[in-house]
């Protein structure tokens, strides 16, 4: 019987889904920012698990996210779709460095803010909560949200995510406290991704598994970054940020050293930032970043990623018996 909800989820994803309009969902995000999101509830009156869906650094796009919403809702979960940029008036057409320093950590903190608010909904069981992040923004944030480094800043009784799936994420950060509590993490990446990159994600997986992490990296052959987008021709951007060589390792002092450039003393995520550490970060970015990216949407790969994500959430969140 457990296979039936997943089958329905995959069917909905393949057909494009849809259904009733979402309900508005308000909460407090990173930095105390008032936020509004979309809440998609499955039919019925019983309590249900929740999956929070976080967009990439291009902003909220229903064309990219809707198949994931349909699959997760079809599998029996409430789905909260975040808009990290709209309430902050962040223009995603501007380079990330000009977006008021909105970092993957802020994506993660927004997700926790939404999870805390979801606990007030009588139909949502936050003991069964999952996080799905897309791209460098939401994907990087979903990986950070699983670290004890961040969880230790939350109340001991605060809700946590049982599992996280990161689709084409930024895998550039090596947090000194690599403990992820053995909560399952699934990373999905393309072997031709020259935006965030397969090598960095495989390295991150090894880094976390060495500390007991439950991390699986799923690689899609002949897949470029953006395979969840609408299918089409390859889009080349000669000035696009290729950060596949960038890896920042946090030291005991909390500051970071970037491997490729060798620059030390940088501050990431605005933590402990001052003029000197920000200048070090810019030097490290200039030293590891290269120019030139390609993206391409692919219908078959998107269906595969949606199905894998929904199946992962069903196994580790939706079908879990609450304690």
């Amino acid at each position: 019987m457990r296979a039936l909800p997943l089958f329905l989820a995959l069917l909905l994803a393949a057909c494009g889904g849809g259904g009733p309009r979402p309900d508005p969902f308000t909460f407090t995000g990173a930095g105390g920012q008032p936020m509004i999101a979309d809440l998609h509830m499955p039919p019925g009156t019983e309590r249900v698990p929740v999956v929070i869906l976080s967009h990439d650094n291009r902003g909220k796009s229903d064309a990219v996210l809707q198949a994931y919403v349909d699959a997760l809702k079809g599998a029996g979960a409430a789905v909260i779709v975040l808009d990290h940029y709209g309430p902050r008036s962040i223009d995603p057409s501007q380079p990330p460095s000009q977006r008021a320093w909105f970092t993957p950590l802020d994506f993660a903190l927004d997700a926790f803010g939404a999870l805390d608010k979801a606990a007030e909904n009588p139909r949502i069981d936050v003991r069964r909560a999952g996080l799905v992040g897309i791209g460098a923004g939401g994907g990087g944030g979903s990986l950070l949200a699983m670290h004890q480094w961040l969880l230790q800043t939350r109340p001991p009784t605060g809700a946590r995510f049982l599992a996280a799936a990161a689709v084409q994420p930024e895998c550039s950060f090596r947090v000194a406290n690599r403990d992820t509590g053995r909560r399952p993490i699934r990373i999905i990446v393309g072997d031709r991704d020259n935006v965030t990159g397969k090598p960095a994600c495989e390295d991150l997986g090894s880094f976390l598994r060495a500390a007991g992490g439950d991390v699986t990296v799923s690689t899609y052959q002949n897949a470029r970054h953006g395979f969840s987008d609408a299918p089409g021709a390859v889009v080349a951007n000669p000035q696009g940020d290729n950060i596949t060589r960038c890896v920042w390792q946090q030291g005991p002092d909390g500051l970071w050293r970037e491997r490729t450039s060798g620059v030390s003393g940088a501050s990431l995520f605005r933590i402990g930032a001052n003029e000197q550490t920000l200048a070090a970060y810019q030097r490290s970015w200039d030293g590891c970043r290269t120019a030139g990216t390609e993206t391409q949407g692919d219908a078959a790969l998107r269906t595969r990623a949606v199905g894998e994500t929904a199946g992962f959430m069903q196994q580790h969140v939706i079908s879990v018996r609450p304690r």
Side-chain angles (χ1 to χ4, degrees), residues 273-284:
N274 56 46
E275 185 175 344
Q276 182 178 2
T277 62
L278 293 178
Y281 172 73
Q282 188 61 54
R283 290 197 307 273
S284 70

Side-chain angles (χ1 to χ4, degrees), residues 15-222:
C15 295
R21 295 178 62 85
D23 296 321
F25 179 88
T26 59
F27 66 99
T28 302
Q33 172 70 41
M35 303 291 290
I36 186 166
D38 295 333
L39 171 62
H40 301 258
M41 291 294 299
T45 59
E46 74 283 2
R47 297 193 77 197
V48 295
V50 61
V51 177
I52 291 176
L53 186 56
S54 183
H55 63 70
D56 63 23
N57 61 12
R58 298 171 301 175
K60 180 176 177 289
S61 169
D62 292 338
V64 174
L65 302 176
Q66 191 61 52
Y68 290 91
V69 172
D70 294 338
L72 294 164
K73 180 180 172 183
V79 184
I80 300 173
V81 182
L82 304 184
D83 180 0
H84 302 276
Y85 289 174
R88 295 181 170 92
S89 299
I90 294 175
D91 181 359
S93 68
Q94 297 298 313
S97 60
Q98 299 179 24
R99 297 183 194 174
W101 267 86
F102 194 81
T103 73
L105 178 60
D106 298 298
F107 279 85
L109 293 174
D110 277 357
F112 277 117
L115 184 61
D116 289 339
K117 184 65 175 182
E120 300 176 12
N121 188 311
R123 280 202 65 201
I124 294 178
D125 183 0
V126 295
R127 296 172 299 173
R128 293 183 291 161
L131 177 59
V132 175
I134 309 295
S142 68
L143 297 174
L144 288 175
M146 303 301 283
H147 280 74
Q148 185 61 29
W149 170 76
L150 181 55
L151 290 173
Q152 66 189 7
T153 66
R154 290 178 50 77
T157 57
R160 302 184 178 195
F161 296 106
L162 294 183
V167 183
Q168 310 164 88
E170 179 175 2
C171 296
S172 298
F173 312 118
R174 306 292 178 268
V175 178
N177 181 356
R178 63 180 86 177
D179 180 15
T180 54
R182 293 196 57 79
R183 289 180 298 277
I185 299 171
R186 177 68 53 89
I187 298 173
I188 301 175
V189 65
D191 69 339
R192 301 182 68 178
D193 188 325
N194 62 2
V195 177
T196 52
K198 169 190 170 186
C201 289
E202 290 182 333
D203 180 84
L204 176 61
S206 297
F207 179 79
L208 296 177
R209 284 193 296 270
D214 181 359
V215 184
T216 301
V217 179
S218 182
T219 302
Y220 290 4
Q221 300 300 313
N222 297 316

Side-chain angles (χ1 to χ4, degrees), residues 128 317-323:
R128 293 183 291 161
V317 176
I318 297 170
S319 296
V320 170
R321 182 172 299 176
R323 296 180 179 179

